Amino acid sequence: MASKKQREILLDPLFENNPITVQVLGICSALAVTVKLMPAVVMALSVMVVLGFSNVIISLIRNYIPMRIRIIVQLVVIASLVILVDLFLKAFAYDVSKQLSVFVGLIITNCIVMGRLEAFAMDNKPWASFLDGIGNGAGYGLILIIVAFFRELFGSGTLFNIKVIPDWFYQHGYMDNGMMLMPAMALITVGIIIWVQRSLMPGLTEKE
Amino acid sequence: MELLNIFIKSIFIENMIFAFFLGMCSYLAVSKKVKTSVGLGVAVIFVLGITVPINFLLNKYLLQPGALKWLHPSLADVDLSFLTFIMFIAVIASMVQLVEMFVERFAPALYASLGIFLPLIAVNCAILGGSLFMQQKGFTHLSEAFVYGLGSGIGWLLAIVFLAAIREKIAYSNVPAPLRGLGIAFIITGLMAIGFLAFMGIKI
């Protein structure tokens, strides 16, 4: 069903063209929600939904948008979708939406959404744009979930709030690293992910 | 005293970048030279200083549950808070347009060096984040919102200028190839954030 090119559009952003580590888009609101896995997963899904559907909508009306006011049009589309996601979360996952607080709203100004609209949806067909949106959302979510995994595991010794580090460890002097819960460690974790990724894919290394 | 407290807190303790990671995109992209980063930082201070108070008024007299009471007592039950995101982003986008025209007219050199990043302030998370945090903190007076916006902007300026200064120096260092550029910028920011942890708990 999916041709080779479509598969590329969908899978490319996961690693080789990852929005966070390669395109440097959408780091803004992302890292603050990575203290625990649960909010990170919800955030990743929200961004995927917003990105996929805003790409489709903009792609559908791309020939009718006057160039000069396209930023405003894009913002209105994104903001409406984010309001829907926000209300949905408040209705069905109230606790998580409380934890995410302002960061759901900040999806609007997440550069990755605007970036993909500008770079892809403005001159591609709706179905391809949808795949591009879902792919980029997934690539973004992947980094978010990796960061959250390490921060929750080493910071609180849990995953999805379930204890995974056995009591035996604690009895022999193991301690949770409270430092992982600090914002600083999210940045350093991303730095390390970039390091690992670029060591594995030397083509991505920046020339100075 | 309360105002000074909000000011210091928003610059050092609740720093937009080091505590909430807001505005990271332009922070990473424009921090290669100190001069451009100062320009962008000043623009962010300016936009935050204008939009946070405007959005404060908007929130108080239009969006809050029961905010329309001043118009007519029968409107006391109206809750327009679901319009928050759209109203805030509209104010921000128009203000950024204004700043852009202003800079283009009076500082063409700065305009040329900021390039694409000036219009991108509209989608800088720090700006919308400032307004959303302002709404969440429930300030009661306009001056508090103004001071908060200003302080957040100054905190952002500090962070980007620090990073730019370090990156100018690091160009001469032998960084491992895969870490060059983006990777090392993240790690430097992380280390600076640890430094800023020292301010935690300060209260005036």
Side-chain angles (χ1 to χ4, degrees):
Chain A
M1 113 209 144
S3 68
K4 185 153 173 290
K5 184 157 170 288
Q6 285 177 340
R7 202 173 315 134
E8 247 168 44
I9 292 174
L10 186 63
L11 296 181
D12 215 35
L14 279 184
F15 303 103
E16 268 164 58
N17 205 8
N18 189 287
I20 291 190
T21 62
V22 182
Q23 304 175 45
V24 207
L25 290 176
I27 308 151
C28 317
S29 52
L31 296 173
V33 300
T34 52
V35 175
K36 289 270 161 77
L37 257 174
M38 197 58 202
V41 171
V42 174
M43 185 73 179
L45 287 177
S46 315
V47 170
M48 257 168 92
V49 169
V50 172
L51 200 51
F53 285 100
S54 62
N55 255 1
V56 171
I57 293 172
I58 290 294
S59 172
L60 282 173
I61 59 174
R62 69 183 187 280
N63 296 326
Y64 307 101
I65 304 176
M67 274 314 263
R68 294 191 71 86
I69 59 157
R70 65 180 196 285
I71 304 260
I72 306 276
V73 175
Q74 289 166 357
L75 279 177
V76 170
V77 170
I78 300 169
S80 323
L81 282 166
V82 170
I83 290 175
L84 286 183
V85 169
D86 187 41
L87 291 177
F88 182 84
L89 285 181
K90 276 194 182 128
F92 294 103
Y94 189 72
D95 292 341
V96 181
S97 114
K98 261 266 162 317
Q99 282 177 40
L100 288 172
S101 71
V102 304
F103 292 99
V104 177
L106 285 173
I107 296 177
I108 299 175
T109 51
N110 196 324
C111 343
I112 184 182
V113 186
M114 288 287 276
R116 290 328 290 175
L117 291 183
E118 277 285 295
F120 200 90
M122 284 302 280
D123 37 36
N124 278 287
K125 293 225 170 72
W127 177 237
S129 302
F130 181 70
L131 290 179
D132 181 77
I134 295 293
N136 275 286
Y140 165 94
L142 185 70
I143 302 290
L144 223 61
I145 288 167
I146 294 176
V147 175
F149 174 81
F150 285 114
R151 284 182 82 189
E152 189 174 352
L153 182 63
F154 293 122
S156 0
T158 56
L159 290 176
F160 289 111
N161 287 329
I162 298 164
K163 234 176 171 35
V164 286
I165 296 193
D167 283 334
W168 188 83
F169 273 51
Y170 289 102
Q171 282 156 14
H172 289 75
Y174 176 86
M175 269 160 77
D176 289 330
N177 184 355
M179 198 71 207
M180 288 305 276
L181 302 179
M182 298 289 179
M185 287 312 287
L187 294 162
I188 294 183
T189 315
V190 175
I192 294 172
I193 293 175
I194 292 175
W195 191 0
V196 171
Q197 193 197 11
R198 293 191 180 179
S199 304
L200 297 176
M201 302 176 182
L204 293 176
T205 307
E206 283 174 47
K207 312 242 176 341
E208 299 248 347
Chain B
M1 223 62 265
E2 189 55 35
L3 287 182
L4 190 65
N5 201 10
I6 293 176
F7 189 62
I8 301 281
K9 215 172 159 187
S10 58
I11 296 180
F12 293 110
I13 303 168
E14 293 174 354
N15 187 294
M16 281 283 176
I17 294 218
F18 297 135
F20 300 115
F21 318 100
L22 296 181
M24 287 292 288
C25 306
S26 29
Y27 167 80
L28 288 170
V30 188
S31 58
K32 283 187 182 124
K33 287 217 183 78
V34 172
K35 211 167 157 239
T36 25
S37 66
V38 172
L40 186 68
V42 171
V44 166
I45 295 181
F46 192 65
V47 175
L48 266 175
I50 296 176
T51 53
V52 174
I54 293 181
N55 282 338
F56 172 80
L57 292 176
L58 206 63
N59 188 41
K60 193 166 178 187
Y61 293 111
L62 189 65
L63 296 172
Q64 262 175 7
L68 285 171
K69 217 169 158 188
W70 59 274
L71 211 58
H72 195 271
S74 65
L75 292 172
D77 297 333
V78 180
D79 180 2
L80 290 178
S81 54
F82 67 94
L83 283 175
T84 303
F85 296 151
I86 285 208
M87 294 303 279
F88 280 10
I89 202 73
V91 166
I92 289 167
S94 38
M95 277 303 133
V96 168
Q97 200 79 53
L98 214 67
V99 171
E100 195 185 348
M101 273 148 49
F102 190 78
V103 173
E104 193 178 6
R105 172 75 178 76
F106 293 105
L110 182 64
Y111 183 77
S113 63
L114 286 180
I116 176 115
F117 285 99
L118 205 52
L120 275 185
I121 288 185
V123 284
N124 187 323
C125 332
I127 311 288
L128 182 62
S131 290
L132 289 175
F133 277 122
M134 171 275 296
Q135 190 192 32
Q136 204 181 42
K137 282 169 189 286
F139 292 137
T140 47
H141 203 269
L142 185 63
S143 58
E144 288 173 336
F146 177 66
V147 165
Y148 176 75
L150 220 55
S152 308
I154 294 173
W156 201 88
L157 171 87
L158 273 185
I160 192 170
V161 171
F162 287 169
L163 181 70
I166 295 176
R167 279 179 90 170
E168 273 188 4
K169 293 280 174 229
I170 222 164
Y172 305 107
S173 320
N174 187 15
V175 180
L179 264 181
R180 244 169 240 167
L182 188 59
I184 198 77
F186 264 110
I187 292 181
I188 292 168
T189 312
L191 294 177
M192 283 200 288
I194 293 179
F196 267 64
L197 284 181
F199 292 113
M200 211 179 256
I202 291 181
K203 208 163 169 36
I204 297 167

